[in-house]
Amino acid sequence: MIGQWMFNITGDGSYTDAETRTDRRRDLTGLQDAAEAGSLDVAGALPFVPGAGVDVARSRTTGLSSLATLSGTPFSMPAGDANLTFKGGYDFSQVRSETTAINGAGSKLTRGDVSAGVNLAIPLTSQGDFLGGIGDLALNVSAGLDHLSDFGTLTDWSAGLTWSPTGKLTFQASYLVDEAAPTLALLGAPNVLTYNVSVYDFTRNTTALVTVLTGGNQDLVKEKQRDIKMSATWELPFMERSNLLVEYFHNRSSNVSEAFPMLTPAVEVAFPGRVQRDEAGNLTYVDRRAVTFDEETSSRIRWGLNLSGNLGSQNGQGGPGGPGGPPSGGGTRPGGAPGGRGGPPMMGPGGPGGKGGRWNISVYHTWRFTDRVTIADGVETLDQLNGEALTAGGVPRHAIEAEGGLFRNGYGLRLKAEWEAPTHVNGSGAPTSSDLRFGSTFDVNLRLFADLGRNEALVAKMPFLKGARLSLTADNLLDSRQKVTDQNGLVPIAYQAAYREPQGRVLGIDFRKMF
């Protein structure tokens, strides 16, 4: 604390070393000649073919970050104190990559990011002090800039209003404009050639084994995002720490950096240099390095219910969590505190003490109204909600997510379920092409945990268990896999269930120790 101001500094660092090894193509000329001469027993064991070596791609990423914030009350308004926050920091990141394939190509990209920003929250009215008939009304404005050593200066700004006409009802609205640079991973990941990759060819309604190039693309440009976010939160009068939340989002972004999309006919037209076919029209090569889309526009509504309550008597102080998490729509509370009151309750390991506990459940439904992409100038805009999808699986119009759990005396469980509606992806319309239907998905994850460090008798016997947690996990508990069929009801080879979800159900044990 510096008088009425609070000063805080944080720092972080990371290092990642990743390596990919790919077998080179073996010389199959001898096998081909023997097959053509009729001397190869195609039903028997194939003769040994010497290996051709291995190509190695390596990527080393270093990251350092620091941030300093200064916040306080610069002045007072009739409705209350204003809140002002300054922030500044420096981030350093470096990606070094090399590969023995593609003539030993390699790269070294370094980025320094000097950032600064300011946020001002001003209470305009207050139920208890000034123009109380209006309720609590607050204005929030912010601005920031980042100077990247490799990309120049990026700016962002936002403005928002938060209105609480009653103590139980809150409305938020905000408009955000943000510029973003592609990550160094998208720019500088090592190039890797992988052979015999199964790729579904929409043009010919076949699964082709092709050579695929992946890696970074240093020609990506900065992205500009414009977001409108609105939300309403009603705290339920009949249950504490429970609420009903409705959020609306609208986004329009230009020069969007994305992974290479699913190879539909529209994508092949937009990126003709990324695809190669032989004289018979068979797909042979795809360059899947990241690309830039001209524009993306989307809108959706998300609404849901958060419920929580106590288990037994509450003799101790509750831990972190509760309905104070920010809603996805962002915004500010009256008085300038970031976040909102509408987020789903969260229950972490520091739950209520004593003999009590807590339970919570949240259910949300997302309804997408629009999702359109313009890949490039002169290319028709694609409607991803009506079969013109760019990702494997398409974009579902409806999705439901549910999460809940309970925690008591150091023991607890978390259950999370997600459902997405079926989708379809249009073919080219040619006689050999076919539409694809992607079935609905339903994924359930379960986590049981025990904070061993809270068991005093156990810690007395084994002091090492102080600050330890043991968890049993089950991902994809129901072992569900999405079903993909063409217009004849057949499953293309590239979309077999084991390809879509090779692991299926995964059971695990986690042990965490804090020192």
Side-chain angles (χ1 to χ4, degrees), residues 362-378:
S362 63
V363 181
Y364 279 89
H365 170 229
T366 298
W367 185 357
R368 295 179 176 90
F369 300 134
T370 59
D371 194 323
R372 298 187 178 91
V373 178
T374 302
I375 299 177
D377 287 338

Side-chain angles (χ1 to χ4, degrees), residues 378-397:
V379 178
E380 184 178 355
T381 298
L382 304 179
D383 185 351
Q384 296 208 89
L385 295 177
N386 287 301
E388 299 170 337
L390 297 173
T391 58
V395 179
R397 187 175 292 274

Side-chain angles (χ1 to χ4, degrees), residues 177-315:
V177 178
D178 186 23
E179 293 179 334
T183 65
L184 287 186
L186 286 175
L187 294 168
N191 291 334
V192 177
L193 274 175
T194 306
Y195 306 105
N196 298 323
V197 178
S198 297
V199 176
Y200 183 75
D201 185 354
F202 279 86
T203 301
R204 300 176 65 88
N205 188 26
T206 59
T207 297
L209 297 178
V210 305
T211 300
V212 171
L213 174 64
T214 58
N217 180 2
Q218 298 189 26
D219 294 328
L220 301 178
V221 298
K222 69 180 179 180
E223 175 182 347
K224 188 169 186 178
Q225 306 166 351
R226 306 167 188 84
D227 294 322
I228 296 175
K229 301 182 180 182
M230 295 183 289
S231 69
T233 306
W234 179 45
E235 296 184 8
L236 303 182
F238 50 83
M239 184 175 293
E240 292 185 10
R241 301 168 64 87
S242 301
N243 57 59
L244 176 67
L245 172 67
V246 180
E247 302 171 312
Y248 172 79
F249 306 84
H250 183 277
N251 167 265
R252 182 166 65 92
S253 300
S254 55
N255 294 327
V256 183
S257 296
E258 294 278 9
F260 191 78
M262 182 170 57
L263 188 59
T264 62
V267 170
E268 189 169 351
V269 170
F271 301 102
R274 296 293 193 99
V275 180
Q276 294 179 12
R277 297 180 179 272
D278 61 19
E279 295 180 355
N282 299 309
L283 190 65
T284 60
Y285 172 86
V286 179
D287 181 351
R288 282 183 172 173
R289 292 177 297 174
V291 295
T292 298
F293 293 160
D294 188 62
E295 185 174 88
E296 291 186 0
T297 303
S298 64
S299 63
R300 66 188 186 275
I301 191 171
R302 179 175 179 263
W303 68 282
L305 188 67
N306 304 297
L307 302 174
S308 67
N310 298 327
L311 293 172
S313 60
Q314 302 295 306
N315 299 326

Side-chain angles (χ1 to χ4, degrees), residues 311-316 352-358 407-409 454:
L311 293 172
S313 60
Q314 302 295 306
N315 299 326
K355 297 182 179 181
R358 293 198 62 81
F407 179 90
R408 184 171 184 175
N409 299 334
R454 296 191 58 178

Side-chain angles (χ1 to χ4, degrees), residues 202-204 264-266 426-435:
F202 279 86
T203 301
R204 300 176 65 88
T264 62
N426 299 334
S428 65
T432 58
S433 181
S434 173
D435 297 349

Side-chain angles (χ1 to χ4, degrees), residues 90 92-96 108-112 149-150 184:
Y90 177 77
F92 170 84
S93 54
Q94 183 182 84
V95 174
R96 290 177 291 169
K108 177 181 177 181
L109 299 179
T110 301
R111 172 177 294 173
S149 58
D150 63 324
L184 287 186

